[in-house]
């Protein structure tokens, strides 16, 4: 551990600048006798905060052999994960501005919390030891419990919050329990040095890893731990759903990848790898099959995100088996996923009405009334289905590579089956949009328009831009 | 040039939304411009070389090895022409439609079809291959018959699932290429250079696994019999224009896949597993012919006959000799024309009566004589009657299959008889017999309908009497295909000569024992009598004519090849 020097402060700037910016509106509100400042001011300041941290990661991160500060490490991979989380946060943050279900008087507090969820994710992504990772993850989760409950007009919101709170804190305990096993056996907590100790007390080690992993898999809703997901996604505010579906998920999967690849070799993974493979297959199938019968758009997104978690874990199994730290497919897919899911949820928020969640039948006639909006939505849907020529397709092409290279044919086969099933529910909203005519065209606020435009650009050209790196 | 051919319809189609007033005229103008563009290839295309022309190539996603790589050769040339030829006809046939989306989807379909025939990068090929499903899905879903929802989804999911296997095999090939040459590439030309391990005894060798994956995806697309069930349904429910494109071009993507990918990439596996596919093809040929015989729905009969006709393509292809290859290839073209025409014809009738059941008609020839005549001409082609394109292709196919040995041809000839049975039955039920009240009310074809039916009927004749004019453009490619079957390669035409010759030299020296192109000099007379024992004396004049043409096609190259083989063995 190093002392707090000026260099360290500079290096930590993305984190504290975000925190700093998020305090400003809170202080303004306090000084203003607890009266809410103008929402544009609050949103603007928070946008600055998130964007600054996003930009600072590009400036300060991505270095080879960067120092470890407070067990936070700013290497290429870790910074990449943070950039991805920041991107997801930017997208979901933009949804706060025009959410009908959201109590505008709580804007300052909510955004303060939201920014700190991002700080938590940053810490989690950058952490070099398990304790720090735990702190980061729990910080993010704690904030999310509150944020999920902040949709007063939705009855399900409280239920979702309680559900998530109980289950998620249980998974946190699992994580902690596994961590204590690992510490007890090896006396080490840093990711890198843990692996060196694996030979002693092999069984306890395994037990520890198992607990740790189940805690993490819960957060990204892999098969045996996925039941909370649709209810929570439905109950939460759309921006919160968006952040959970994109930012949190990306951070957790990247952490799992980093943790295992830096700590273990394949021989030591053994049966764990097969278990992960089975989980991934079941997740993909479960998500895609259950999505077939859904009518609420948000639930469709929830199950589709479940399916994508499955694909991601499949690729991770492939990468583990190859034993090479080539994360490009994972990142590439995640960027595509973040753009498309973020965009889709933004579209869903546009469809939200005062008293009902958007359903499939609300899409009727959208091609006639809002042709551009409808085509943008169908772009996201087709992209998520992996249809060419969108980002999702190229992402899938890169995602299957480690799996094929490692020769996991059975996982691959079920992955193909799942994505063929998935096509049905991604196309179904499109068929609604083409038919009939709805009453009046939707009017979209400019912030949502620009967000949709941003996501569209990302899903159209992201594949080609990223492909040059 | 090729980018223009691929993207012109798609870009042009956006005009339909901007100027909805002139929708149809715009569509017609656009399709005619497109046809003119494509027909200009006749003058620009060099028919003497089997290699790629008009190549456009630059990296698209270097990190994944994806390139933008378009090219055209003798195998893909005709499909582009066919697509461009059909587009104006399709527009004319759907003159009553008023939706901009409908015409947009048609044009988008033409774009994707063209794209998949000229892409020489695996991922790009797959991209267009998959993308072609979407316009067709919406055409069926939005403008189809009563069962359109089920039909559209079955079509989409079935073909999507099967083509995912193609996707996986492309990625596998890329990884194999990466391991052996240490660079990323999805280019088909690079894939041809791969030497894939094949162990005859073991199923789990690289080549046989990949062969099975690809064969499955193309078997669904072609379609071969156990995987055909999406097709009749989709055909029956689809609107006329979609049926036409589906039969004429989307099925050809399947057969094109065998020509372009499966056989060149996995020659040894194709040798070993060929009989299985041939069995499926021949079984399907007879099975679907019988099924067609049992149908009342006119579109269903034509759909099943499509499956049967596609079986001939495989029959010819897996004969691996010149006749079979040419016949199989020609079959794709003649079927493209005749099945398109049949769907147009049924569509014309359906527009008037909204009834596809053939038993409600009868005696239609009295009220619609022109329609009857055109229908008759196309029916002749579908039953492979001499003087029509169908005859040449099926004759060549059967001849090729006979020469290559094997029992298949003996079963396949029954397909010809059966096709005559069900098609003539269809014709009899609709046009002859007692005149029904429904038939009496019908008016004959109007000029618009004649405008899109007559060109097809004329073309059927031209294809029947002048096959050389068509095969001329693909001959070099097919020859090349057959000659280098075990070490296929293609190169880009405008590379420097030295580079090309070096490559050829490399590949040829790799495997000197690549003879046995099964071009034995067999006396032709014996077979012809057997194959055509069903037809009458009339044929003889035509036969001798077509035989001459075939000899013309074959003999000079054949000699050269024999010479080369001799040198090789020395």
């Amino acid at each position: 551990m190093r002392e707090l020097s000026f260099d360290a402060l500079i290096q930590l700037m993305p984190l504290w600048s975000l925190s700093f910016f998020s305090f400003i509106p809170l202080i303004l509100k306090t000084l203003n006798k607890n009266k809410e400042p103008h929402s544009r001011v609050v949103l603007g300041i928070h946008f600055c905060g998130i964007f600054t941290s996003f930009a600072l990661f590009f400036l300060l991160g991505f270095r080879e052999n960067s120092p470890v500060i407070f067990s936070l490490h700013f290497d290429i991979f870790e910074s990449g994960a943070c950039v991805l989380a920041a991107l997801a946060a930017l997208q979901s943050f933009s949804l706060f501005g025009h959410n009908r279900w959201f109590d505008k008087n709580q804007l300052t507090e909510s955004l303060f919390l939201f920014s700190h969820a991002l700080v938590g994710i940053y810490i989690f992504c950058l952490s070099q030891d398990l304790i720090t990772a735990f702190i980061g993850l729990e910080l993010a989760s704690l904030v999310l419990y509150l944020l999920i409950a902040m949709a007063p007009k939705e009855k399900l919101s409280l239920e979702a919050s309680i559900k998530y709170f109980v289950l998620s804190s249980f998974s946190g305990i699992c994580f902690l329990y596994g961590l204590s096993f690992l510490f007890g056996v090896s006396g080490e907590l840093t990711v890198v040095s843990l692996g060196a100790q694996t030979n002693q007390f092999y069984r306890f080690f395994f037990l520890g890893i198992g607990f740790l992993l189940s805690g993490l898999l819960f957060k990204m809703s892999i098969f045996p731990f996925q039941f909370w997901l649709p209810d929570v996604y439905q109950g939460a505010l759309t921006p919160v759903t968006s952040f959970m579906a994109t930012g949190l998920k990306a951070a957790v999967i990247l952490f799992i990848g980093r943790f295992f690849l830096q700590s273990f070799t394949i021989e030591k993974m053994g049966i764990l790898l097969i278990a992960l493979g089975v989980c991934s297959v079941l997740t993909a199938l479960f998500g895609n099959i259950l999505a077939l019968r859904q009518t609420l758009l948000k639930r469709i997104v929830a199950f589709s995100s479940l399916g994508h978690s499955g694909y991601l874990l499949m690729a991770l199994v492939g990468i583990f088996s190859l034993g090479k730290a080539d994360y490009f497919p994972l990142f590439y897919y995640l960027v595509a996923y973040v753009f498309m899911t973020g965009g889709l949820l933004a579209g869903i928020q546009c469809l939200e009405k005062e008293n009902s969640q958007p359903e499939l039948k609300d899409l009727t006639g959208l091609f006639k009334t809002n042709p551009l909006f409808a085509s943008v939505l169908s772009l996201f849907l087709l992209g998520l289905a992996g249809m060419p020529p969108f980002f999702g397709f190229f992402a899938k092409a890169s995602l299957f590579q480690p799996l094929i290279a490692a020769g996991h044919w059975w996982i691959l086969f079920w992955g193909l089956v799942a994505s063929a099933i998935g096509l049905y529910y991604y196309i179904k909203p499109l068929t609604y949009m083409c038919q009939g005519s709805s009453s009046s065209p939707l009017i979209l606020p400019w912030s949502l328009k620009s967000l949709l435009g941003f996501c569209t650009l990302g899903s159209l050209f992201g594949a080609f831009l990223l492909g040059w790196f | 040039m090729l980018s223009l051919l691929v993207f012109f319809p798609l870009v042009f189609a956006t005009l339909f939304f901007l100027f909805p007033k002139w929708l149809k005229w715009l569509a017609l103008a656009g399709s005619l411009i497109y046809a003119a563009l494509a027909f200009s290839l006749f003058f620009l295309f060099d028919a003497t070389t089997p290699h790629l022309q008009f190549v456009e190539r630059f990296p698209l996603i270097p990190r994944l090895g994806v390139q933008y790589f378009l090219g055209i050769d003798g195998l893909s040339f005709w499909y582009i022409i066919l697509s461009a030829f059909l587009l104006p006809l399709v527009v004319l046939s759907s003159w009553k439609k008023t939706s901009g989306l409908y015409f947009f989807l048609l044009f988008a379909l033409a774009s994707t079809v063209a794209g998949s025939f000229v892409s020489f990068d695996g991922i790009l090929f797959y991209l267009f291959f998959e993308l072609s499903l979407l316009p067709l899905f919406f055409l069926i879903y939005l403008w189809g018959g009563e069962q359109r929802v089920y039909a559209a989804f079955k079509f989409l999911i079935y073909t999507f699932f099967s083509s995912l296997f193609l996707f996986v095999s492309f990625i596998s090939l890329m990884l194999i290429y990466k391991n052996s040459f240490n660079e990323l590439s999805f280019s088909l030309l690079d894939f041809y250079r791969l030497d894939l391990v094949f162990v005859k005894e073991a199923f789990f060798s690289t080549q046989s696994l990949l062969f099975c994956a690809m064969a499955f995806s193309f078997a669904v697309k072609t379609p071969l019999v156990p995987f055909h069930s999406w097709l009749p349904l989709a055909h029956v429910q689809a609107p006329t224009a979609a049926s036409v494109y589906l039969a004429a071009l989307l099925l050809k993507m399947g057969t094109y896949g065998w020509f372009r990918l499966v056989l060149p990439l996995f020659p040894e596996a194709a040798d070993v597993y060929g009989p299985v596919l041939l069995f499926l093809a021949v079984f399907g040929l007879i099975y679907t012919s019988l099924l067609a015989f049992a149908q009342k729905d006119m579109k269903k009969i034509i759909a099943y006959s499509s499956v049967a006709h596609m079986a001939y393509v495989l029959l010819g292809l897996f004969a691996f000799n010149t006749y079979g290859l040419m016949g199989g290839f020609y079959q794709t073209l003649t079927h493209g024309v005749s099945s398109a025409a049949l769907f147009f014809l049924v569509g014309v009738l359906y527009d008037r009566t909204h009834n596809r059941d053939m038993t409600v008609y009868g005696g239609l020839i009295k009220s619609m004589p022109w329609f009857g005549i055109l229908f008759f001409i196309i029916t002749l082609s579908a039953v492979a009657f001499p003087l029509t394109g169908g005859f040449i292709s099926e004759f060549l196919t059967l001849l090729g299959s006979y020469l290559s040995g094997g029992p298949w041809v003996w079963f396949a000839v029954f397909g010809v008889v059966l096709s005559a049975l069900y098609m003539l039955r269809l014709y009899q039920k609709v046009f002859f017999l007692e005149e029904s009240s429904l038939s009496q009310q019908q008016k004959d074809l109007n000029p618009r309908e004649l405008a899109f039916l007559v060109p097809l009927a004329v073309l059927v004749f031209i294809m029947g009497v002048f096959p050389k004019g068509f095969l001329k453009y693909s001959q070099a490619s097919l020859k090349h295909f057959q000659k280098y079957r075990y070490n296929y390669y293609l190169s880009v035409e405008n590379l420097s000569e030295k580079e090309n010759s070096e490559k050829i030299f490399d590949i040829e020296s790799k495997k000197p024992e690549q003879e046995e192109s099964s071009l034995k000099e067999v006396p032709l007379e014996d077979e012809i009598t057997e194959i055509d024992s069903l037809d009458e004396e009339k044929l003889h004049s035509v036969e001798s004519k077509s035989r001459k043409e075939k000899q013309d096609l074959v003999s000079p190259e054949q000699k050269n090849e024999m010479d080369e083989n001799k040198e090789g063995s020395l």
Side-chain angles (χ1 to χ4, degrees), chain B residues 331-399:
Chain B
Q331 171 79 340
T332 62
L333 299 182
T334 55
H335 173 261
V337 173
S338 68
S339 71
L342 279 172
F343 278 115
F344 272 134
L345 287 163
V346 175
V348 164
L349 204 53
Y350 185 73
D351 277 349
R352 282 152 210 255
T353 61
H354 293 278
N355 200 333
R356 286 189 306 261
D357 188 346
M358 66 180 183
T359 51
V360 301
Y361 299 99
L364 200 61
I365 194 88
K366 277 185 196 158
S367 51
M368 299 178 77
W370 278 107
F371 182 67
I373 290 168
L374 288 175
F375 205 114
F376 189 66
I377 293 170
I378 307 294
T379 304
L380 290 186
S381 177
V383 303
F385 199 75
L387 277 183
T388 62
F391 169 71
I392 307 287
S393 54
E394 284 181 24
F395 174 74
L396 279 173
T397 310
L398 293 173
L399 180 60

Side-chain angles (χ1 to χ4, degrees), chain A residues 108-158:
Chain A
T108 318
E109 292 86 348
S110 312
L111 287 184
F112 173 76
L113 288 174
F114 183 81
S115 290
H116 279 81
L118 188 57
V119 173
I121 298 274
Y122 282 163
I123 295 173
F124 177 61
C125 288
L126 297 168
S127 61
Q128 276 304 291
D129 69 47
L130 291 173
I131 290 281
T132 321
F134 179 73
I135 291 171
L137 192 59
E138 285 309 299
L139 176 58
S141 307
L142 200 63
V143 172
L144 283 173
Y145 306 144
L146 288 171
L147 278 176
I148 292 169
M150 274 191 167
K153 291 176 193 167
E154 167 64 88
K155 277 176 245 157
L156 284 171
S157 160
L158 268 182

Side-chain angles (χ1 to χ4, degrees), chain B residues 377-431:
Chain B
I377 293 170
I378 307 294
T379 304
L380 290 186
S381 177
V383 303
F385 199 75
L387 277 183
T388 62
F391 169 71
I392 307 287
S393 54
E394 284 181 24
F395 174 74
L396 279 173
T397 310
L398 293 173
L399 180 60
S401 179
Y402 177 83
L403 291 182
S404 73
W408 313 111
V409 67
W410 303 108
F411 298 101
V413 286
F414 285 108
V416 182
V417 186
L418 287 171
S419 78
L421 273 179
Y422 62 75
M423 284 312 293
L424 292 179
R425 174 171 159 270
L426 168 70
Y427 195 78
Q428 183 210 19
K429 289 260 156 86
V430 175
F431 288 95

Side-chain angles (χ1 to χ4, degrees), chain A residues 326 328 332 382 385-389 393-394 396-398 400-401 404-405 409 412-413 416-417 419-421 423-424 427-428 430-431 434-435 463-464 466-469, chain B residues 59-64 66 101 123 126-128 130-131 133-134 137-138 141-142 148-149 153 156-157 160-161 164-165 167-169 171-172 174-175 178 184 186 209:
Chain A
D326 180 15
F328 179 77
Y332 198 59
L382 291 176
M387 275 306 244
F393 164 71
F394 294 107
K396 208 164 250 178
S398 78
F400 281 154
Q401 275 181 25
I404 294 170
W409 300 110
L412 185 73
F413 175 76
L416 295 186
V417 172
S419 48
I421 296 171
L423 188 61
Y424 176 78
I427 291 277
K428 212 159 94 179
L430 262 73
T431 61
C434 294
Q435 284 173 321
F464 307 107
L466 264 186
W468 288 88
F469 286 112
Chain B
L60 205 59
I61 306 181
R63 191 66 170 72
L64 298 180
V66 178
L101 186 62
I123 290 290
Y126 179 79
L127 188 151
F128 285 117
E130 283 285 84
L131 210 53
L133 303 180
L134 278 182
F137 168 80
F138 282 105
Y141 188 90
L142 297 173
R148 52 179 196 207
V149 177
F153 273 112
L156 184 73
I157 307 269
F160 180 76
F161 178 66
L164 278 174
F165 284 84
F167 184 49
V168 170
S169 23
I171 296 176
S172 316
M174 190 278 272
L175 289 170
K178 191 174 145 194
L184 291 166
F186 273 105
L209 278 175

Side-chain angles (χ1 to χ4, degrees), chain A residues 128-196:
Chain A
Q128 276 304 291
D129 69 47
L130 291 173
I131 290 281
T132 321
F134 179 73
I135 291 171
L137 192 59
E138 285 309 299
L139 176 58
S141 307
L142 200 63
V143 172
L144 283 173
Y145 306 144
L146 288 171
L147 278 176
I148 292 169
M150 274 191 167
K153 291 176 193 167
E154 167 64 88
K155 277 176 245 157
L156 284 171
S157 160
L158 268 182
E159 184 195 325
S161 174
I162 294 291
K163 201 174 218 171
Y164 189 58
F165 171 66
V166 172
L167 292 172
S168 179
S169 37
F170 187 73
S171 82
I173 292 167
C174 279
F175 187 95
L176 207 55
Y177 193 52
L179 187 154
S180 63
F181 263 114
L182 291 181
F183 184 68
V185 170
S186 65
E188 290 279 355
L189 277 177
T190 52
V191 174
V192 186
S193 51
L194 260 176

Side-chain angles (χ1 to χ4, degrees), chain A residues 364-443:
Chain A
T364 315
L366 209 59
F367 260 115
K368 284 228 175 76
T369 53
N370 298 50
L372 203 62
F373 176 56
S375 24
V376 165
L377 270 194
S378 38
L379 185 150
F380 296 138
L381 285 164
L382 291 176
L384 282 172
M387 275 306 244
F390 308 117
F391 199 167
F393 164 71
F394 294 107
K396 208 164 250 178
S398 78
L399 194 75
F400 281 154
Q401 275 181 25
L403 214 52
I404 294 170
H408 287 305
W409 300 110
W410 58 280
I411 301 181
L412 185 73
F413 175 76
W414 288 112
L416 295 186
V417 172
S419 48
I421 296 171
L423 188 61
Y424 176 78
Y425 67 85
Y426 287 121
I427 291 277
K428 212 159 94 179
L430 262 73
T431 61
Y432 276 88
M433 287 189 225
C434 294
Q435 284 173 321
S437 54
S438 97
S439 47
S440 58
L442 293 168
I443 298 158

